[in-house]
């Protein structure tokens, strides 16, 4: 596609954008009375305006009905979380019964590892990507230690090649085969938080299964961003958070996927609580646990409604728009941002480099040569909210729900000014 780095052209792209009306569905922080250029939907998505209504509804039901709200509210609280499964299943490519919402992401990954990481003396290793998201590294290390293994030996990483900024699928597959029958679990971030790379989840899942390992994915940066086909790819389990591309609020609830082949298995251990037992008999308060026949069997506590409500509000937006339309805009706006970055780079003589590979979602990671931090600070002072990652990377995620092409143009102009003023 032939782009142009002009305001008129950016505005034309906005006029042609079928999702343009959704920008006004979100609250933007302001800088000097104007909405900021928001690039951190991969960290915390903006607040949808309709979220307030969902929270107010719960607050008002609580005020007016108190405990009766569990069963008599318009959206009764005792099964409120069930409303999220069907729309979420569409987003992650699952059957509704394979999806549940509960807890938070790291908690869920730990809980899922109770079921899907069951090492023995021979098969005990976990394979992940080099420099996985720190919480995942701590989780994997603490899990293997919990089972009596040494993380140095039990956690195997796949490295990028010397001089390359991305992981090669063939290297991951080769490592899986090398570890072979010692491999208990493959556990990778489906979209890398640092370089923005999308992993070939289908091929890697197949390779894990070929050597008899379980395969789970941390989809924090993937859910609501890229096409996922968890059921079709035969993924064993996955979890994601809701506060990035899913716009559900800081630290909010996490979604889980558990492949349907495990839903009725009695030989798979699981930590259990009363919200995982059948609804029909739950309040008989019997000692026997009768698992719900869906991923809800992994639920522990009664759902935190004030946290699930914003997630439901957000899923309503996803239902309206659908992933294909979001992905179409995402591809175009990311391509436009990339074009603008390359134009500016030509004009200011190569002071940065895009390290995100072709297999990408919404994010471009830009490695700044020289002193990067002053440039980042300059952008922040001028109404841009990008994200800084050590040692010298700025992450830019133009979320298709609310970012405009005009934002990309203005960002390019500011970037150029910042480089000329601050770096050279
Ligand atoms: C890739 C990835 N994994 C895990 C986490 C941890 O999420 P939480 O704090 O919700 O457990 C994050 C948070 O940003 C993340 O980006």
């Amino acid at each position: 596609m032939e782009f142009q780095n002009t305001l008129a052209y950016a505005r034309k792209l906005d006029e042609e954008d079928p999702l343009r009306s959704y920008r006004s569905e979100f609250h933007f922080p302001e800088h000097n009375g104007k909405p900021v250029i928001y690039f951190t939907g991969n960290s915390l998505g903006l607040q949808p305006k309709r979220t307030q209504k969902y929270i107010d509804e719960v607050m008002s039901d609580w005020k007016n009905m108190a405990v009766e709200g569990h069963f008599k509210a318009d959206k009764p609280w005792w099964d409120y979380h069930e409303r999220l499964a069907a729309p979420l299943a569409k987003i992650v490519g699952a059957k509704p019964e394979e999806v549940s919402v509960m807890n938070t992401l790291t908690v869920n990954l730990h809980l899922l590892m109770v079921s899907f990481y069951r090492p023995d003396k021979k098969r005990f290793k976990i394979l992940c990507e080099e420099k996985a998201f720190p919480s995942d590294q701590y989780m994997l290390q603490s899990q293997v230690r919990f089972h009596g293994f040494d993380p140095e030996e039990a956690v195997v990483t796949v490295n990028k090649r010397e001089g390359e900024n991305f992981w090669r699928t063939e290297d991951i597959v080769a490592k899986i085969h090398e570890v072979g029958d010692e491999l208990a679990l493959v556990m990778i971030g489906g979209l890398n938080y640092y370089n923005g790379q999308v992993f070939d989840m289908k091929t890697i899942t197949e390779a894990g299964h070929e050597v008899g390992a379980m395969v789970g994915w941390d989809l924090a940066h993937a859910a609501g961003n890229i096409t996922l086909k968890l059921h079709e790819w035969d993924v064993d389990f996955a979890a994601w958070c809701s506060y990035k591309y899913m716009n559900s609020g800081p630290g909010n609830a996490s979604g889980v996927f558990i492949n349907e082949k495990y839903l009725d298995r009695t030989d798979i251990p699981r930590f259990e609580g009363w919200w995982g037992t059948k609804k029909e008999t739950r309040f008989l308060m019997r000692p026997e646990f009768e698992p719900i026949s869906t991923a809800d069997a992994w639920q522990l506590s009664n759902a935190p409604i004030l946290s699930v409500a914003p997630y439901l509000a957000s899923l309503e937006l996803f239902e309206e728009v659908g992933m294909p339309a979001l992905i179409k805009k995402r591809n175009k706006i990311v391509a436009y941002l990339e074009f603008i970055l390359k134009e500016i780079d030509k004009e200011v003589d190569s002071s940065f480099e895009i390290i995100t590979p072709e297999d990408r979602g919404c994010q471009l990671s830009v490695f700044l040569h020289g002193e990067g931090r002053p440039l980042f600070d300059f952008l922040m002072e001028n109404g841009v909210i990008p994200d800084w990652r050590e040692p010298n990377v700025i992450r830019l995620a133009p979320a298709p729900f609310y970012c405009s092409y005009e934002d990309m143009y203005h960002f390019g102009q500011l970037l150029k000014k910042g480089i000329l003023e601050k770096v050279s």
Side-chain angles (χ1 to χ4, degrees), residues 1 21 78-79 132 153 174 189 264 274 307 309 312-313 328 370 411 419:
M1 186 177 290
S21 65
W78 82 308
D79 58 6
E153 190 193 3
D264 284 330
W274 71 325
S307 126
L312 188 59
K328 201 165 170 202
F411 167 70
I419 291 172

Side-chain angles (χ1 to χ4, degrees), residues 42-43 103-109 129 132-136 139 189-194 218-222 239-244 251-254 389 395:
N42 58 346
S43 183
N103 315 309
T104 49
L105 174 54
T106 307
V107 173
N108 281 341
L109 288 170
E129 73 279 33
F133 189 81
S135 194
D136 289 359
M139 175 188 65
L191 194 156
N192 184 257
Y193 80 100
Y194 190 83
D218 170 353
L219 300 177
H221 287 261
W240 55 91
C241 56
S242 59
Y243 45 79
K244 298 179 187 292
N252 206 0
S254 155
R389 291 288 136 165
R395 298 188 307 171

Side-chain angles (χ1 to χ4, degrees), residues 42 160 165 192-196 352-356 363-373 375-376 379 386-396:
N42 58 346
K160 300 181 207 112
N165 291 318
N192 184 257
Y193 80 100
Y194 190 83
N195 72 351
F352 57 82
E353 166 190 357
I354 299 172
I355 60 166
T356 303
Q363 173 182 329
L364 291 180
S365 298
V366 181
F367 184 87
L368 303 168
H369 297 294
E371 273 284 297
R373 190 71 207 197
L375 176 61
F376 176 81
L379 293 169
D387 177 85
W388 175 259
R389 291 288 136 165
E390 296 295 340
N392 238 15
V393 164
I394 291 183
R395 298 188 307 171
L396 303 167

